[in-house]
Amino acid sequence: MTMPQTDPDTELLLRLQQDSFQFFAQVRNPTNGLVQDSSLPGSHASIASVGLAMTSSLVAVERGHMSRHEALERTLATLRFFRDSPQGTEPDATGYKGFYYHFLDMQTGRRAGNCELSSIDTALLVAGFLAAARYFDRAHGEESELRSLVDDLYGRVEWDWMLNDGAVISNGWKPKSGFLPHSWKGYSEGSLLYLLALGSPTHTISPACWLDWTSTYIWKQVYDWEYLYAEPLFIHQLPHCWIDFRFIQDAYMRERVTDYFENSRSATYAQQQYAVVNPHGFDGYGEHCWGLTASDGPGPAHRTRGGHRITFHGYDARGIPDGPDDGTITPAAVAASLPFAPEIVMPTLRRFKELDLGRHTPYGFGAAFNFTFDGATDGKPNWVSRHVYGLNEGPTVIMIENYLSGFVWRLMRGCPYLRAGLQRAGFQGGWLV
């Protein structure tokens, strides 16, 4: 499916996509299929990175960067690891009740540190499983085995247990202290989690849980844009990696005569407008320099400028309009918004290309940059992150492809579990008809 690279914008996108995919190709353990959370030396595996890597590898096959056989073997190694990994209440298990710990040791696959059994990260992992099962659809032994493994792994996730006898899904669980004190309330990437839980053939949750969750939404106006509010852009992007929300609506969106895709479009435009208004006066912000999300940062540190003390953060979930905001822009936040608003994304990506953002990494534009922290030289920011994160690289690969060809969206429309989850949540119209 290689496209002619005659158009400069298409060339830019395909190069960024290929470079971003190389992160997943380079930082995986070939034995167990685990993928590092980031390019930081010694980084643990992130199960979210594994799910994003699995989906990105399908794109790589379609784009000619990997053979189908190689992607199949990599995917099978990963699925077999999760099938055989220890599930139990032991503090160093890999998972429990079908869920997995947020971070795992790259070599042993055991729980890393004191992290939680993560409901949302398990959902991101499972989304990658389901995408692979849709793609590898041939009748021969290994592809048949792959689909069987995915069915088994998805079927053993006890989504209903993660409700903790309540109406909304818990953020997670730890072996010593039990369920975390917070649950998935308010609009977030949790939509993917709820839909996968609703579609489960073995441990489904009630459709009422979706209504209970949407009842906690906040509809807000930010500058000229009204939308379902969430601060960082990744919230408006992650579920869309796998789900084509165009023209399908649940009860909440039918009442507002819109859909979740258009909602993300509004959030994208609001981010650009925030950068133009630039309420905190950070250097570099503007029409073609915007994008706040979860990412690396130059801190923790402080600087004084114009008599004002500025606090700079390290890794943080930056967002608008209430922050946190320390002048740090994340290119992936823009790239993953491409399907929503290409008319403002492409000029911004062209601007990013001019800034030499990949100077410290071979994986695309890098995680983040900041003009304010250490100023600029020759019009280019002096602080550019030296590392990238799977949570940024995966959506970059996948959403570029969804924009160019709709490949992952088309693939997942045929997933019976996802269709069931959407229908049980009350979605109607569009491709669900």
Side-chain angles (χ1 to χ4, degrees):
M1 197 186 66
T2 302
M3 298 177 63
Q5 297 188 29
T6 55
D7 171 54
D9 284 348
T10 301
E11 289 183 17
L12 187 160
L13 294 175
L14 291 177
R15 171 52 60 187
L16 176 59
Q17 183 186 63
Q18 184 176 0
D19 289 346
S20 297
F21 172 72
Q22 289 307 310
F23 167 78
F24 297 118
Q26 296 296 322
V27 300
R28 64 182 294 274
N29 182 332
T31 302
N32 56 26
L34 294 180
V35 179
Q36 290 180 196
D37 176 58
S38 74
S39 60
L40 282 160
S43 172
H44 293 305
S46 157
I47 60 171
S49 271
V50 175
L52 289 163
M54 196 172 288
T55 308
S56 296
S57 70
L58 310 180
V59 175
V61 174
E62 291 295 293
R63 287 288 165 193
H65 307 313
M66 178 187 293
S67 72
R68 184 184 180 97
H69 178 73
E70 183 180 5
L72 173 62
E73 292 303 308
R74 289 185 177 195
T75 303
L76 279 172
T78 307
L79 294 171
R80 289 165 181 160
F81 162 74
F82 280 104
R83 176 197 62 192
D84 299 336
S85 63
Q87 290 261 320
T89 57
E90 299 82 7
D92 67 340
T94 298
Y96 181 49
K97 291 187 177 289
F99 291 91
Y100 299 95
Y101 286 100
H102 190 161
F103 298 110
L104 303 175
D105 183 276
M106 278 293 294
Q107 304 307 316
T108 67
R110 299 275 183 154
R111 178 193 186 197
N114 191 39
C115 69
E116 81 284 7
L117 196 75
S118 175
S119 55
I120 186 59
D121 292 283
T122 296
L124 294 168
L125 175 65
V126 168
F129 291 173
L130 294 175
R134 285 290 303 148
Y135 188 73
F136 293 106
D137 59 355
R138 297 176 183 173
H140 72 70
E142 285 196 326
E143 296 203 11
S144 178
E145 179 195 355
L146 183 149
R147 295 192 298 275
S148 179
L149 283 169
V150 169
D151 282 343
D152 289 346
L153 289 167
Y154 180 52
R156 78 183 190 185
V157 183
E158 297 186 29
W159 310 97
D160 49 348
W161 170 76
M162 194 59 80
L163 287 168
N164 188 24
D165 296 324
V168 288
I169 298 175
S170 173
N171 283 20
W173 177 91
K174 290 186 175 183
K176 290 186 177 180
S177 54
F179 288 101
L180 302 184
H182 302 292
S183 298
W184 287 99
K185 297 179 181 179
Y187 181 59
S188 70
E189 71 276 23
S191 59
L192 178 67
L193 168 62
Y194 278 94
L195 292 170
L196 291 179
L198 284 164
S200 171
T202 53
H203 295 282
T204 189
I205 62 174
S206 167
C209 295
W210 181 268
L211 298 178
D212 285 323
W213 181 55
T214 59
S215 71
T216 67
Y217 284 177
I218 297 174
W219 188 264
K220 188 170 182 175
Q221 180 164 341
V222 179
Y223 299 112
D224 296 332
W225 300 91
E226 288 189 26
Y227 59 99
L228 189 51
Y229 180 65
E231 296 91 338
L233 268 176
F234 80 88
I235 285 176
H236 298 280
Q237 297 164 343
L238 272 176
H240 297 258
C241 288
W242 294 276
I243 304 173
D244 184 359
F245 281 106
R246 294 174 298 178
F247 311 116
I248 63 173
Q249 298 170 309
D250 63 353
Y252 186 94
M253 285 301 182
R254 281 193 293 275
E255 183 179 340
R256 285 155 184 80
V257 197
T258 187
D259 58 48
Y260 288 96
F261 181 89
E262 289 298 322
N263 191 78
S264 292
R265 176 176 170 84
S266 296
T268 302
Y269 263 93
Q271 283 253 349
Q272 185 197 47
Q273 190 171 2
Y274 174 87
V276 171
V277 174
N278 194 7
H280 303 293
F282 289 119
D283 295 343
Y285 279 25
E287 181 184 8
H288 298 147
C289 193
W290 50 274
L292 273 65
T293 194
S295 75
D296 199 7
H302 300 279
R303 296 285 191 274
T304 299
R305 193 182 70 165
H308 298 285
R309 182 178 171 87
I310 304 174
T311 298
F312 294 92
H313 306 275
Y315 192 94
D316 208 346
R318 296 166 175 82
I320 71 160
D322 301 321
D325 181 12
D326 59 0
T328 301
I329 297 292
T330 304
V334 178
S337 294
L338 187 62
F340 308 129
E343 65 279 5
I344 66 172
V345 168
M346 279 310 310
T348 305
L349 293 180
R350 290 186 216 115
R351 169 66 174 146
F352 289 168
K353 183 180 179 181
E354 297 170 354
L355 296 179
D356 189 27
L357 299 177
R359 70 187 75 159
H360 299 310
T361 175
Y363 309 128
F365 285 149
F369 64 94
N370 192 308
F371 275 100
T372 304
F373 183 69
D374 277 337
T377 301
D378 298 327
K380 299 174 182 178
N382 285 331
W383 186 85
V384 179
S385 175
R386 294 181 176 273
H387 305 288
V388 297
Y389 293 79
L391 193 63
N392 296 146
E393 300 302 288
T396 296
V397 173
I398 297 166
M399 292 297 267
I400 286 176
E401 194 58 43
N402 279 333
Y403 170 70
L404 291 174
S405 73
F407 164 65
V408 180
W409 285 340
R410 289 198 313 275
L411 192 69
M412 296 303 289
R413 286 179 204 158
C415 176
Y417 303 128
L418 182 57
R419 290 183 70 97
L422 287 162
Q423 290 167 343
R424 296 195 80 213
F427 281 85
Q428 300 172 4
W431 55 271
L432 278 173
V433 174

